[in-house]
Amino acid sequence: MKKSIIVSTLILSSSLSFAFDLSAIAKNVVENVTKEQTTTQETSTSNLSDTTVSNGLKEALKTGVNYAVTQLGSNNGYLNNTAVKIPLPDNLAKAETLIRSAGGNKIADDLINSMNSAATQAAPQTAEIFMNAIDKMSLTDAQKILSGGNDSATNYFKANTTESLKKMIAPIIQKSMKDNQVASYYDTVNNVYKSSVGNITNNSGVMGMAKNFGVDSYIPGSSNESLDDFITNKAIDGLFTMIAQKEGDIRTNPVSQTTSLLKQVFGK
């Protein structure tokens, strides 16, 4: 009986030991497979040449440009897009409620619609400027954008396209807004406010009276920026926003990686 107990104990111990060994082996196998998969993925990415990675980024940015120009250049492209819709200028926006409550809905809507329509007309003309900036991008530029934050591409475009975009867009905006009476009224009134600054300080004139009655916060102030400049800058900001949006989508969403190069560079 004693011998039988000893034998049983040895068998049980052997079984438990074997079971623990299997568990350890299984754990090691899982760890090794995971490590191997990670290493393979890292090796796959690191095997890409700098030129391939740079070309992948350029393709992503060109896709973003085409997306931005197409979307914003379509009918009501700016007006119907809350992310880039051009609002009333800051110095007029605070009086918008007062204008509308006084029956000026049509005036406010007309100006907003005209500004956004002008930006939409200009959008398709900007593609070439963006494409040239992308083609001139160096390997160092591409590496900075890839390793930078979500606004790195936008910052690159701001530094390399802003002045060219302004020269391209401004005349289109001016021509589009030339016949808009509200726009001409805005610039006229804005110039009047600029010339009234001294009166505001001395509490004389219309602005001074408004301040005395405590209603000056409802009256538009002056701006050093003309309406055309305001629209031009907002139109450019909208283009940057849409390009960055598409580029970010390509970086993170496999569905948007529509070419073999994009999959190779940005795919997981």
Side-chain angles (χ1 to χ4, degrees):
M1 174 70 98
K2 186 175 182 182
K3 184 177 180 180
S4 175
I5 293 172
I6 292 173
V7 171
S8 298
T9 302
L10 288 173
I11 292 173
L12 179 61
S13 298
S14 177
S15 299
L16 288 172
S17 175
F18 181 65
F20 288 138
D21 286 343
L22 278 179
S23 176
I25 290 170
K27 183 178 180 182
N28 286 333
V29 169
V30 171
E31 289 177 349
N32 288 335
V33 170
T34 302
K35 191 179 297 182
E36 184 178 343
Q37 289 175 338
T38 302
T39 302
T40 301
Q41 187 178 20
E42 290 175 350
T43 302
S44 176
T45 303
S46 63
N47 282 340
L48 296 177
S49 68
D50 288 341
T51 301
T52 300
V53 174
S54 175
N55 288 339
L57 174 64
K58 288 182 179 182
E59 185 166 323
L61 292 175
K62 286 182 178 181
T63 301
V65 169
N66 286 327
Y67 172 76
V69 169
T70 301
Q71 292 293 314
L72 297 181
S74 63
N75 187 39
N76 291 330
Y78 276 87
L79 187 66
N80 292 341
N81 188 329
T82 55
V84 299
K85 179 180 177 180
I86 301 175
L88 290 176
D90 290 343
N91 64 323
L92 189 59
K94 64 181 181 180
E96 182 175 1
T97 301
L98 185 65
I99 293 171
R100 291 186 181 279
S101 65
N105 279 332
K106 187 179 184 306
I107 293 175
D109 289 339
D110 179 55
L111 182 55
I112 291 172
N113 291 339
S114 296
M115 291 190 299
N116 284 275
S117 177
T120 291
Q121 290 179 41
Q125 311 301 319
T126 63
E128 185 177 354
I129 293 174
F130 283 113
M131 294 302 183
N132 288 338
I134 294 170
D135 287 335
K136 292 176 182 177
M137 186 182 293
S138 67
L139 283 173
T140 302
D141 292 328
Q143 289 166 351
K144 285 181 179 179
I145 293 172
L146 282 168
S147 61
N150 293 333
D151 60 349
S152 54
T154 302
N155 290 335
Y156 173 81
F157 280 133
K158 282 182 178 179
N160 292 277
T161 67
T162 298
E163 290 308 311
S164 296
L165 287 171
K166 284 182 178 180
K167 289 178 182 178
M168 168 73 74
I169 293 175
I172 300 173
I173 299 294
Q174 290 168 3
K175 183 178 179 181
S176 177
M177 299 298 292
K178 184 178 180 181
D179 297 327
N180 185 287
Q181 289 186 327
V182 178
S184 64
Y185 291 156
Y186 171 86
D187 281 331
T188 299
V189 172
N190 193 46
N191 290 331
V192 170
Y193 277 116
K194 283 181 182 178
S195 64
S196 321
V197 173
N199 290 336
I200 298 171
T201 305
N202 298 323
N203 287 338
S204 59
V206 175
M207 288 294 291
M209 291 174 63
K211 188 172 183 180
N212 288 334
F213 282 103
V215 296
D216 55 307
S217 60
Y218 294 99
I219 297 180
S222 66
S223 171
N224 291 323
E225 188 177 45
S226 72
L227 188 61
D228 289 341
D229 288 341
F230 172 78
I231 300 168
T232 298
N233 291 329
K234 287 295 183 182
I236 293 172
D237 288 345
L239 287 162
F240 289 156
T241 297
M242 296 298 284
I243 294 171
Q245 185 183 97
K246 190 62 176 178
E247 183 219 347
D249 188 40
I250 290 172
R251 288 195 192 215
T252 59
N253 185 0
V255 175
S256 295
Q257 296 158 13
T258 54
T259 68
S260 58
L261 182 57
L262 292 178
K263 289 174 182 175
Q264 191 177 9
V265 174
F266 297 104
K268 299 297 182 181

